[in-house]
Amino acid sequence: MLDSLKDEPVVQETMQEANEALGFDLNKLIAEGPAEDLNLTVNTQPALLAASIAMYRYYLSLGGKKPEVMAGHSLGEYTALVAAGALDFKEALKLVRYRAEQMQKAVPVGQGSMAAVLGLADEVVKDICAKASDLGVVEAVNFNTPGQVVIAGEIEALKKAMQLAAEVGARRALQLKVSGPFHSSLMKPAADALKARLEEVKVKAPSIPVLHNIDVKTRAEAKDIKEALAAQTASAVLWAETVREMAKMGVTMVYECGPGAALSGMVKRITPDVKAMALNSQKALAEAAEQTKEQN
């Protein structure tokens, strides 16, 4: 996850902060595993947050320009708020670990899951979920790109929705390897727990606008940011709409800062006129820093 950057001082300092905040060696877990421990959501969520912030700080250390607007997909919204100065890094790490614990607790493992539906319009997927809801809760929860919607819910209802999707011409309906029906209304207990926990957390107005998942709007007041973060846990992620809003705001280049490249691929499918680049290696981070310095 941070292999190409592990010797960089700013990255080492960031990971040491993470270790101190969490009370265990997250850096060692990322570097050495075991994979089954790293893949536990209570470890994965803080690991992704820490790695993304380490990468962002490294980019800034090279003289990279701060963005005009930020957003994150689900967990990434916390990264965006840390990068924008609204959330303290150490506090955010503890918060996302708590979030993970509550999300897992809300629905016992094996009772709920998620599936990606490819090749159908958003409204068709919503209609399929409504028809399958006679077997339990199933909802459209991630609107990622045109023709890519993730659904989540109770297992039997989810399977029926997948079958209905295939019957109406979905290119694919694939159950995901996740341990719960995240972002569905079944996560309401987790959202309530997170809302209470957020009352203890200091939140400031972001120095850079952050578009929130639940409604694609920015917020400046601490109480409004807290409400959006709590609600996000049990609400759909409006990612395609978020990227379109960025384009309307005049964004011409999106940098995805963190491990992987899923979001930059989505950006290209949502708004072909907006360029996107994944900053998932030392080389890519250095290249992006040079690009943005030239824009100043």
Side-chain angles (χ1 to χ4, degrees):
M1 195 182 284
L2 287 170
D3 196 46
S4 65
L5 294 167
K6 64 179 183 292
D7 296 326
E8 296 297 330
V10 68
V11 172
Q12 292 176 342
E13 288 164 16
T14 301
M15 297 312 297
Q16 183 56 39
E17 279 185 63
N19 294 346
E20 291 168 5
L22 296 168
F24 68 93
D25 197 337
L26 178 66
N27 198 29
K28 184 178 179 182
L29 181 61
I30 290 172
E32 301 175 16
E36 56 267 27
D37 288 350
L38 183 58
N39 289 337
L40 293 172
T41 189
V42 293
N43 293 327
T44 306
Q45 292 198 31
L48 287 169
L49 172 61
S52 298
I53 290 298
M55 290 174 166
Y56 180 65
R57 288 178 175 178
Y58 177 71
Y59 159 83
L60 292 179
S61 76
L62 298 177
K65 180 184 176 184
K66 289 187 177 182
E68 301 294 329
V69 62
M70 292 184 179
H73 189 292
S74 188
L75 173 69
E77 189 167 299
Y78 289 78
T79 306
L81 288 165
V82 171
L87 276 175
D88 174 74
F89 175 52
K90 287 185 175 182
E91 190 61 61
L93 286 164
K94 290 183 275 190
L95 190 61
V96 299
R97 188 169 171 85
Y98 179 80
R99 175 182 184 260
E101 290 168 351
Q102 296 305 314
M103 289 168 77
Q104 197 61 76
K105 192 186 294 184
V107 179
V109 175
Q111 292 187 17
S113 190
M114 305 174 80
V117 179
L118 307 181
L120 296 180
D122 294 356
E123 292 305 317
V124 174
V125 177
K126 289 180 187 177
D127 184 54
I128 283 167
C129 289
K131 288 176 179 174
S133 63
D134 60 324
L135 293 183
V137 174
V138 61
E139 299 159 355
V141 297
N142 291 354
F143 296 92
N144 288 337
T145 68
Q148 186 193 119
V149 180
V150 175
I151 61 176
E154 295 169 294
I155 290 293
E156 293 308 314
L158 185 80
K159 287 181 177 177
K160 181 174 179 179
M162 291 169 65
Q163 182 184 339
L164 291 172
E167 289 173 3
V168 298
R171 194 164 73 249
R172 200 170 183 196
L174 175 70
Q175 189 169 335
L176 303 177
K177 293 180 180 179
V178 295
S179 55
F182 305 129
H183 290 291
S184 73
S185 59
L186 295 167
M187 290 288 117
K188 182 69 165 52
D192 291 342
L194 191 61
K195 185 176 182 180
R197 174 69 175 78
L198 278 159
E199 291 303 314
E200 306 165 15
V201 176
K202 185 177 180 181
V203 174
K204 297 185 290 186
S207 59
I208 299 165
V210 175
L211 292 168
H212 289 268
N213 287 174
I214 60 167
D215 57 7
V216 198
K217 292 179 180 177
T218 60
R219 287 163 171 77
E221 298 294 326
K223 64 179 180 60
D224 297 331
I225 293 169
K226 290 179 181 184
E227 285 176 6
L229 285 177
Q232 184 231 54
T233 311
S235 302
V237 175
L238 306 179
W239 187 250
E241 197 177 329
T242 297
V243 175
R244 293 190 195 104
E245 181 62 23
M246 285 183 172
K248 285 180 193 173
M249 294 169 76
V251 170
T252 57
M253 181 74 194
V254 172
Y255 291 110
E256 177 183 1
C257 192
L263 297 185
S264 48
M266 289 180 193
V267 169
K268 293 169 186 176
R269 292 195 292 277
I270 297 163
T271 50
D273 292 338
V274 176
K275 294 179 181 178
M277 179 178 173
L279 310 188
N280 54 12
S281 68
Q282 186 172 31
K283 181 182 177 183
L285 287 157
E287 188 178 327
E290 281 303 311
Q291 287 178 0
T292 61
K293 277 193 282 188
E294 289 169 7
Q295 295 166 10
N296 287 337

